[in-house]
Amino acid sequence: MRQYVLTLLFLLLPSFLFAQEESDTFQDVYNSLSDMDDFDEEGWTEAYDNLTAMAQMPQNINAATYEDLLAVPLLTEEQAVAIIYYRDLYGDLRSISELSLITALDPPRCKILSAIFYAEPIPNNAKGILKYPKSSLLMTLAVPTYERKGFKEGKYLGDKLSHSIRYQLKTNRLQIGLTASKDAGEQFFCGENRKGWDFYTGFARLKETGIMKDLIVGHYQVSIGMGLILNNGYRLSKTSLLLTQPSSKTSLRGHTSKMESNYLQGVASTIALWRRNATKNISLTPFLSWKYLDATMSDTEPPTISTIVSNGYHRTKEELMRRYATTQTVAGASLVYTSLPFRIGLNIVHIHLKDSLAPSKNQMYRRYYPEGKDFTDGSLSYSFITPKLQFSGETALGKAAKYNEKDKDGIALATANAIRWNFHQQWSAFALQRFYSYRHTPLLGRSFGDVSNCQNENGIYAGMMTTALRNITLSAYIDGSHHPWIRYGYDNSSRSWDTYLSAAYERKNLSATLKYRYREQATTETGSILPQFGSKINGTAQHTLRSTVKYTFGRFQSSSQLQGTFLPTSNDWGYLLSEGFGYQAIKWSLWLSITYFNTSDYLSRLYITDKSITYGATSCMLYGQGLRTNLLAKAIIIKGLQASVRCNILNYFDRDKISSSYQQIDSSSQTDLYFQLNWKF
């Protein structure tokens, strides 16, 4: 079967000889700036999808507003201000490569901006809402060549194909996005899903209309301050904090991801109550949302919510029973005063559930889970931004969770504060403090830390970065945190310790990185909050080393990745070696990579990033022993129409079955095919 698949792909290549491939530069840059195992999977994918959506519909950087620049993941507020000041001083950029002249922008950020912006003069009559329309239509089909247990036993009600359609329209001030998607095993125009695809999402967005700076109707995301009370977007990771300063700004964005959670449904807007310019104004951002939630309901009368389900799967009868089980209403507002370098915001969010949330609290780590129908949280966000010193933070208050019915009502506190000091042109230092009470339970809050839900964590992070050595960037951080209440997997209070060292070299056609990370999570029985660097701890410790070398010679490119990990607490270990080679012609491109991996256990799993189709996941988790092959072909059939074909083959040498339960594959290998058409018009 695999030989047939490879033969088919190579037979398709001659039809790709009449076009030019779109750039996927930002994929490699994003992968080098972020580590998958440092993000939660949802946050990592969310940031990647946002960048992909921007790259799909590039914007004229001369027409980009301050808010447009701040919406770019990994771009700091200081860098956005620097671009605005550069335009004010020298006029419109004549070429996107002119970004390299802005000293606040480093090469990685310039590459990302070059992928999502272009530069051309702004005509005098460019103020109409429907001026300069651009559209894109993206169709993706995933075809597995194997059958999972859920299909064999008839548990999955739909077919094994997964597919999606994404449409975007962008004009001078109007943006429309629509997405329809179906996962493998879900029904399509039949059974409980006669409407077609399993999930639909979309929005319409209008910008800069009188005092209305921004208006979104449909599915959207809101991020407030550090995310302590509301953050539908991605959250900063420890490695990305070395590159960017958390913003205290309230931001809106349309939701076009296939993720069936982490969004609001309704209307949101940003209103300019007073505005002198982009850096001095008062704005109000109200939002209102009502949507269905998937949930596991109790058998009591009236029924209560045992668990809110966010994976979006509706393949079996049981999963369909949880679909649209209850509803959620969200209302809130953010009032922000900006007079750079100062910004301060007053924020409030209220959440109402149709049915009462009543999770099981039999286990000690679940005693302070949120419960009830109504949740109200308020916060104060603030920042001070200058070229040399940046400070930002948020402090939130909300109703405290109770241990049991006898526990008294109270107020729970959460605060996170970050500071960056660029004490030299080539040196910067960064620190972040957070305190999240174990009784603080915001339903929609997500912020920086070992935990994502802003609860049960106190910690301090310190990092430093320098480019003092020619062509070399050195960075490092140390992060220590304490969890006063019991967490899952621990029978006592616990602590976490994380250290990271990185060296990156880039010159002409050669780039190389070397990263080392040590993580330790253990109970505090010993009374020490410092790392033990040994195997005799009640918890886990892990050493990880990664190196990547990329080289471009003419139309050829190569990539080598080597990773190793060791867990002294369990003597687990793992390593992988990956080699990739590509050829980019004027009218087509081809990429082939082969990865050998060998780990002793799931605990020693490793992550690898590789090239993929547009919106495709570029990171893969590997454990056990085996070989992974990735083949990718891209081209444009006619002007504006790009075709992509990807074949991913995974062979295990240490097992005859893959996965478990309904996802089980009765084979030691699996082959997935991906087909995609990307039409821009």
Side-chain angles (χ1 to χ4, degrees), residues 36 60 123 174 204 207 210 216 259 278 322 331 336 368 382 398 401 407 414 437 477-478 495 510 536 558 581 667:
M36 175 63 179
N60 187 356
L174 177 67
K207 301 174 65 176
I216 296 183
M259 291 185 180
R322 295 193 288 264
V336 179
Y368 287 102
Y382 35 84
D407 212 351
S437 169
Y477 72 70
I478 299 176
R495 57 173 175 79
L510 175 65
K536 295 182 180 180
S558 67
F581 301 93
S667 173

Side-chain angles (χ1 to χ4, degrees), residues 270-479:
T270 298
I271 303 168
L273 301 181
W274 172 78
R275 186 176 189 180
R276 177 173 294 180
N277 51 48
T279 59
K280 195 164 187 176
N281 55 73
I282 299 176
S283 64
L284 176 67
T285 303
F287 49 91
L288 181 64
S289 167
W290 182 91
K291 70 172 186 177
Y292 286 105
L293 292 181
D294 289 4
T296 302
M297 306 298 292
S298 70
D299 296 329
T300 61
E301 187 61 41
T304 59
I305 304 171
S306 300
T307 307
I308 296 176
V309 181
S310 59
N311 57 29
Y313 289 131
H314 306 116
R315 303 162 297 186
T316 65
K317 292 181 179 179
E318 293 78 11
E319 290 173 347
L320 284 171
M321 287 178 61
R322 295 193 288 264
R323 188 180 193 182
Y324 302 158
T326 189
T327 63
Q328 175 197 77
T329 303
V330 180
S334 175
L335 180 65
V336 179
Y337 169 73
T338 301
S339 181
L340 292 184
F342 297 98
R343 174 183 290 122
I344 187 168
L346 185 62
N347 320 295
I348 187 168
V349 175
H350 178 75
I351 303 170
H352 173 75
L353 301 176
K354 175 186 175 184
D355 303 287
S356 182
L357 181 60
S360 170
K361 294 193 174 185
N362 294 332
Q363 297 90 353
M364 289 297 292
Y365 72 89
R366 300 171 64 95
R367 286 299 175 94
Y368 287 102
Y369 274 24
E371 58 182 342
K373 284 188 175 183
D374 295 281
F375 305 85
T376 302
D377 294 275
S379 74
L380 185 70
S381 54
Y382 35 84
S383 67
F384 175 81
I385 305 294
T386 67
K388 284 191 174 294
L389 184 67
Q390 300 103 46
F391 171 78
S392 59
E394 183 180 12
T395 299
L397 296 174
K399 185 179 179 180
K402 293 183 179 182
Y403 182 90
N404 53 38
E405 292 294 333
K406 298 180 181 179
D407 212 351
K408 295 181 180 180
D409 292 335
I411 299 296
L413 172 71
T415 183
N417 302 277
I419 186 170
R420 180 184 296 274
W421 181 29
N422 302 320
F423 56 91
H424 186 274
Q425 186 176 358
Q426 296 175 319
W427 290 82
S428 62
F430 183 84
L432 185 145
Q433 166 273 334
R434 73 266 193 197
F435 170 81
Y436 309 143
S437 169
Y438 58 85
R439 300 184 67 185
H440 183 247
T441 56
L443 285 187
L444 301 179
R446 293 197 311 165
S447 189
F448 174 86
D450 272 354
V451 296
S452 63
N453 59 352
C454 311
Q455 183 182 13
N456 190 29
E457 181 171 345
N458 317 317
I460 297 178
Y461 169 103
M464 183 171 289
M465 175 179 288
T466 178
T467 56
L469 299 177
R470 187 177 181 184
N471 301 322
I472 296 177
T473 300
L474 300 176
S475 56
Y477 72 70
I478 299 176
D479 181 67

Side-chain angles (χ1 to χ4, degrees), residues 561-574:
Q561 297 187 55
L562 177 63
Q563 298 183 34
T565 187
F566 175 66
L567 285 75
T569 49
S570 58
N571 287 323
D572 285 311
W573 51 267

Side-chain angles (χ1 to χ4, degrees), residues 76-228:
T76 69
E77 195 161 351
E78 173 210 353
Q79 291 167 335
V81 172
I83 295 173
I84 297 292
Y85 283 169
Y86 183 89
R87 288 194 325 212
D88 292 342
L89 185 61
Y90 299 105
D92 289 349
L93 279 71
R94 295 175 177 82
S95 169
I96 198 65
S97 60
E98 200 173 336
L99 289 170
S100 61
L101 301 177
I102 303 176
T103 57
L105 296 176
D106 53 16
R109 250 67 71 95
C110 286
K111 289 182 180 179
I112 288 179
L113 291 172
S114 298
I116 61 181
F117 288 104
Y118 64 91
E120 66 179 29
I122 303 176
N124 294 329
N125 62 343
K127 295 184 179 181
I129 293 177
L130 299 179
K131 290 283 187 178
Y132 312 110
K134 294 181 180 180
S135 297
S136 71
L137 181 64
L138 186 75
M139 295 178 287
T140 305
L141 172 66
V143 182
T145 61
Y146 48 85
E147 194 168 24
R148 297 189 183 272
K149 185 177 180 180
F151 294 105
K152 289 182 178 180
E153 297 184 354
K155 298 297 184 180
Y156 289 163
L157 304 178
D159 58 58
K160 63 181 182 179
L161 301 179
S162 61
H163 43 81
S164 64
I165 294 180
R166 298 175 187 257
Y167 172 76
Q168 285 192 75
L169 168 67
K170 181 179 284 188
T171 70
N172 193 42
R173 286 186 287 154
L174 177 67
Q175 184 180 0
I176 295 175
L178 298 171
T179 300
S181 66
K182 168 196 171 298
D183 295 315
E186 294 176 337
Q187 296 171 317
F188 185 62
F189 280 110
C190 63
E192 299 292 327
N193 216 18
R194 298 184 182 276
K195 62 181 181 181
W197 283 270
D198 178 74
F199 178 63
Y200 292 91
T201 182
F203 71 95
R205 183 176 190 179
L206 187 61
K207 301 174 65 176
E208 301 296 337
T209 305
I211 64 171
M212 192 80 69
K213 296 171 58 179
D214 204 347
L215 175 65
I216 296 183
V217 178
H219 292 183
Y220 62 90
Q221 297 175 316
V222 182
S223 297
I224 296 177
M226 302 282 284
L228 299 187

